[in-house]
Amino acid sequence: MVLEEVDEGPPPHDRVRIRVEAAAVNFPDALLVAGLYQVKPELPFVAGLEVAGTVLSAPPVAAVHVGERVLALLEVGGLTGGGFGEIADAPLRGVVAIPDEMPFEDACGLMVTYQTGYFGLHRRANLQSGEVLLVHAGAGGVGSAAIQLGKAAGAMVIATAGSAAKVELCRKLGADLAINYTEEDFVHVVKDRTAGRGADVIYDPVGGDVYDRSTKCVALEGRIVIVGFASGRIATAATNHVLVKNYSVVGLHWNLYNQRDPEQVAAA
């Protein structure tokens, strides 16, 4: 990676040009820079898919105006990026105005992880107040968002993480119980905390062994939300076990909503 000056050129007629004040580093960004993402942009490219900043220019049909504070998604499915520069051009539907009291550093992390959590917990899992939510990798991006969204929904939140510092972060984010999975078996802890019933919703961005173990502590009519495979291993669902224990395994690919049902994204 190199830092260099480039000519930004004239603003595209169909995009909002933003002076970037803060940019998020999401998992796809890390994969892109490492050359491991499923889409390979032509080199050289500017990474960064999520930003917050101030509008420099906007087409007349845009919902935002020059000088307005915004957060923006710089495409995802077909990539594009550009957020790790001082200026970025965002598609119209990916730009949202933010209140004056919201810091840019908070705003730039709001789109991908919190939308993923919102759609995963509410649209796919139908999380209800009073239910037990188990969040894996609670100190990560989507995990930390899911803890906060779960608490906001009135759930009792249990989180897992891999170190004492990460466990403490989960507690600060609002988790009712945080488990260091390197020291304790989260299956036993969840069953003990719920008097053997298990978790109603399990939010899993890890996959692999974590998914396999999660099936041991999912409640009757529970929902396991598949968010990603950070472990590197894609687990195989035993459909006979799904049937016998009466639980659901649901997928959450947020960008598919962004592509096919953007009105839902705008509402969220």
Side-chain angles (χ1 to χ4, degrees):
M1 298 180 69
V2 296
L3 177 66
E4 63 180 50
E5 296 287 337
V6 297
D7 179 12
E8 68 268 22
H13 72 280
D14 59 346
R15 290 182 174 249
V16 176
R17 175 155 288 184
I18 299 167
R19 179 176 300 283
V20 178
E21 300 292 346
V25 182
N26 288 295
F27 195 45
D29 295 309
L31 292 176
L32 276 166
V33 171
L36 299 176
Y37 197 65
Q38 55 261 40
V39 179
K40 301 289 191 295
E42 183 179 343
L43 297 172
F45 68 94
V46 180
L49 294 167
E50 187 179 14
V51 301
T54 306
V55 175
L56 293 175
S57 66
V61 296
V64 295
H65 54 77
V66 173
E68 193 162 13
R69 304 170 81 254
V70 297
L71 61 84
L73 186 67
L74 308 179
E75 307 275 31
V76 171
L79 288 178
T80 296
F84 296 169
E86 292 178 297
I87 293 173
D89 296 321
L92 298 184
R93 72 179 186 183
V95 182
V96 181
I98 60 174
D100 289 339
E101 61 269 21
M102 176 178 281
F104 288 119
E105 291 83 358
D106 290 351
C108 76
L110 192 64
M111 180 73 87
V112 175
T113 56
Y114 286 84
Q115 286 270 350
T116 299
Y118 187 88
F119 276 83
L121 296 178
H122 291 288
R123 192 168 182 89
R124 301 299 286 135
N126 193 28
L127 179 68
Q128 300 295 305
S129 178
E131 288 192 316
V132 176
L133 167 65
L134 172 61
V135 177
H136 290 304
V142 292
S144 61
I147 290 173
Q148 296 170 77
L149 289 164
K151 289 303 296 179
M156 196 273 272
V157 179
I158 302 173
T160 68
S163 71
K166 290 181 178 180
V167 164
E168 181 58 28
L169 175 60
C170 291
R171 293 194 185 104
K172 288 182 178 178
L173 291 169
D176 298 282
L177 177 64
I179 305 165
N180 186 337
Y181 62 78
T182 67
E183 298 177 351
E184 296 182 277
D185 182 351
F186 69 81
V187 173
H188 294 318
V189 178
V190 170
K191 285 186 173 181
D192 182 66
R193 184 62 178 259
T194 60
R197 184 172 179 276
D200 300 289
V201 175
I202 300 177
Y203 191 81
D204 181 14
V206 181
D209 295 343
V210 168
Y211 169 83
D212 295 339
R213 296 294 294 159
S214 294
T215 64
K216 308 299 182 185
C217 61
V218 62
L220 174 70
E221 295 193 331
R223 292 83 75 198
I224 301 177
V225 185
I226 306 301
V227 186
F229 315 101
S231 69
R233 180 173 77 83
I234 298 175
T236 300
T239 52
N240 62 324
H241 195 258
V242 173
L243 182 152
V244 171
K245 287 195 68 176
N246 272 30
Y247 65 90
S248 303
V249 180
V250 298
L252 186 277
H253 179 200
W254 171 73
N255 193 48
L256 204 55
Y257 289 104
N258 199 39
Q259 293 171 6
R260 299 188 182 183
D261 199 356
E263 289 77 14
Q264 292 291 335
V265 175

